[in-house]
Amino acid sequence: MTRSQVTRTSLATVVAGSLLTLSACGMNGGAGDVKQAERTGRVAGEITFRTLQLKPAYTAYVQGVIDSFEQKYPEAKVKWEDVPGDGYNEKLVADAQAGALPDVVNLSTDSFQLLGDRGMLADVAALDRTVAKDYVPGAWDQFRLPGKGEGVYAYPWYVTPEVLTYNEELFAKAGLDVGKPPVTVEQFFDYAEQIATRSGGQYAAFMADPKGRLPGDWQKMGVPILNAAGDRFTFDTDKAVAWADRMKDLYAKGAMPKESLLKADDINQLYGGGKLVFGPGSPGFVKDIKQNAPQVYAHTRVAGAVTGTLGHIGIYAQSLGIKKDTKHLDAAAEFAQWVTNGPNQVEFSKKATIYPSNAKGLADPYFSDKGDGKDAETLARAIGAQQLTTADLDANTPVQWTTQVGDAVVREMQKAIKGEQDSRTAVRKAQEEANKLLAAAVRK
């Protein structure tokens, strides 16, 4: 499963506020000229902390983190505001225009790109040259920006890794060895074809919508998503065409539910109803199945994610960015590191099905305990944590692959899968549209 299938926003749904919206609103240039604030050595002043849809479920946790920080630094005060997911990026745009960005702000991949490219975020690597070691490398590297050297423009917060989940009963019915799950994209497709052949239409292998599989599948197959400069998409290759051809063939053979190509079916319901072999690659999904479909949970197996050519899993990371010209840089930076330290991230992870980006937090025994090796939820947590220690940036969705880019690519791939256009044309058109969006996004 791809990183996109581990739920892009983990705890909240961020409605896509595009980079083009930022340009259209007149935010072209200028922001990059803002001088980064400097440390004074004094953790003091009132800072604003914005999160994305954590109230009311996590109010007590977040407030506790704030209270303990203020207790340690009595001269600092944190004003917490929590914003709904709907229109989150648009609100960031409006605040950026008004010079009212929060001092510390919760960012998804899209919103990080939106602010980072415009020079609105502080280089946190420059604030403390030793802090990188505190975080999982794949998460830390996720928040670099193309063309900006060794700078890192947000502290990693909670992360979600990929795992592979599958119904061992259906797996065996299809004549597959339950102890040998697929390890490459190509093998995954081979298994799906056998499932389609043996199931007689009673169940399918996986969901058809390519939004959940790209660009992860291509990366794992060795398809180059971007050029070295990171300013052009380059996925129009024979391997990408072969992927589209294989998806088309599997779709025609019934390896995927027909209706899942164009609409967001409830994958939990399909898997929980015994109609799907492979579930989403999310540890949180396993917990949901345990609660809502215990009869299927009893047959759920968990394995390491499909890795393919790269040998690394993808991770999805939320982050905390620092306003570049904040008036209280020491307080903002210390608070962001406080929220993302090991103990606080472990506590958060025990309240939600997420993982620490903090290396010490990830080393907590809570994430290594496999129990008796039979409980899928416990295994998912341990397998996900183990994989996070080796997760690398080249398996992550690049920041240039925004929601708009993904949607443009998906539209063309859907046409290919349905047989409305040939795969080579679909891949070429997808790359052309993606590059138009990328060029428009970076235009000053």
Side-chain angles (χ1 to χ4, degrees):
M1 298 295 171
T2 71
R3 192 215 64 175
S4 297
Q5 286 174 304
V6 288
T7 313
R8 281 183 169 268
T9 52
S10 293
L11 298 181
T13 301
V14 179
V15 175
S18 71
L19 299 177
L20 294 180
T21 302
L22 187 58
S23 296
C25 289
M27 290 294 296
N28 296 323
D33 298 329
V34 174
K35 184 178 180 180
Q36 179 159 318
E38 296 182 359
R39 282 186 178 273
T40 65
R42 183 183 175 198
V43 180
E46 182 176 278
I47 58 172
T48 303
F49 173 44
R50 179 180 296 171
T51 57
L52 172 59
Q53 204 164 301
L54 295 185
K55 292 182 178 180
Y58 305 100
T59 298
Y61 164 75
V62 176
Q63 191 59 55
V65 171
I66 292 171
D67 291 345
S68 61
F69 176 78
E70 291 180 343
Q71 184 176 8
K72 182 175 181 179
Y73 299 104
E75 292 186 274
K77 298 297 178 185
V78 179
K79 180 182 178 181
W80 177 29
E81 59 180 46
D82 189 66
V83 180
D86 189 19
Y88 186 72
N89 285 2
E90 288 86 344
K91 180 171 176 55
L92 285 178
V93 170
D95 288 344
Q97 288 179 298
L101 279 177
D103 300 283
V104 181
V105 59
N106 184 181
L107 300 172
S108 67
T109 302
D110 277 351
S111 48
F112 166 74
Q113 171 84 357
L114 183 142
L115 297 182
D117 265 0
R118 267 66 188 178
M120 299 175 188
L121 299 175
D123 179 358
V124 300
L127 299 180
D128 183 346
R129 297 297 182 184
T130 68
V131 75
K133 70 180 186 327
D134 293 340
Y135 300 92
V136 175
W140 179 253
D141 289 341
Q142 178 85 331
F143 299 102
R144 298 188 187 278
L145 287 165
K148 295 192 181 284
E150 294 301 307
V152 175
Y153 295 87
Y155 294 99
W157 194 7
Y158 57 88
V159 299
T160 310
E162 292 181 78
V163 296
L164 184 71
T165 58
Y166 59 103
N167 184 319
E168 64 178 0
E169 184 178 41
L170 300 182
F171 209 71
K173 281 185 178 180
L176 298 168
D177 184 343
V178 297
K180 295 181 179 179
V183 296
T184 67
V185 175
E186 294 84 356
Q187 189 179 40
F188 180 85
F189 285 161
D190 289 344
Y191 282 24
E193 184 168 2
Q194 183 166 329
I195 289 166
T197 300
R198 299 285 189 90
S199 71
Q202 295 181 357
Y203 52 91
F206 65 101
M207 303 295 275
D209 186 3
K211 187 173 185 177
R213 307 201 62 84
L214 296 177
D217 276 6
W218 286 350
Q219 290 170 299
K220 292 173 181 180
M221 294 169 67
V223 174
I225 304 301
L226 290 155
N227 63 6
D231 58 6
R232 285 197 64 79
F233 287 103
T234 57
F235 55 76
D236 184 2
T237 63
D238 289 344
K239 285 185 178 180
V241 172
W243 178 92
D245 280 338
R246 194 73 194 277
M247 287 284 287
K248 175 185 176 181
D249 181 59
L250 289 171
Y251 184 70
K253 290 178 177 178
M256 320 165 210
K258 295 293 184 184
E259 64 278 8
S260 69
L261 179 61
L262 298 176
K263 69 176 185 175
D265 281 6
D266 187 341
I267 188 170
N268 287 30
Q269 184 176 358
L270 285 172
Y271 183 90
K275 299 296 183 182
L276 207 63
V277 174
F278 294 104
S282 165
F285 161 76
V286 180
K287 182 177 181 179
D288 290 340
I289 292 299
K290 184 176 185 178
Q291 293 175 342
N292 301 317
Q295 72 284 1
V296 172
Y297 177 78
H299 298 293
T300 295
R301 290 279 289 260
V302 181
V306 170
T307 57
T309 302
L310 296 178
H312 297 294
I313 67 166
I315 62 174
Y316 173 69
Q318 288 274 340
S319 66
L320 295 181
I322 305 296
K323 182 181 178 182
K324 188 174 183 180
D325 58 348
T326 176
K327 294 180 180 179
H328 305 292
L329 180 60
D330 293 83
E334 289 299 324
F335 179 69
Q337 290 181 62
W338 182 262
V339 174
T340 61
N341 70 24
N344 282 329
Q345 288 211 38
V346 170
E347 184 181 353
F348 197 10
S349 298
K350 290 180 178 180
K351 298 179 182 299
T353 310
I354 54 176
Y355 291 75
S357 63
N358 185 282
K360 289 183 179 178
L362 193 61
D364 189 281
Y366 176 72
F367 298 101
S368 58
D369 181 15
K370 294 184 179 180
D372 61 5
K374 297 178 181 179
D375 181 65
E377 183 184 5
T378 304
L379 280 173
R381 181 170 60 243
I383 289 171
Q386 183 178 9
Q387 292 192 132
L388 273 172
T389 62
T390 58
D392 204 6
L393 179 65
D394 54 9
N396 291 337
T397 298
V399 292
Q400 296 93 327
W401 189 284
T402 62
T403 299
Q404 276 204 330
V405 168
D407 288 346
V409 173
V410 164
R411 283 193 295 271
E412 299 303 327
M413 294 305 104
Q414 287 172 335
K415 294 175 187 176
I417 293 168
K418 287 193 295 181
E420 293 179 355
Q421 69 179 348
D422 67 272
S423 296
R424 188 163 297 279
T425 299
V427 173
R428 175 179 55 79
K429 285 185 174 181
Q431 180 172 294
E432 289 173 352
E433 186 61 27
N435 277 324
K436 287 179 184 178
L437 291 167
L438 181 58
V442 300
R443 191 178 299 124
K444 301 298 184 182

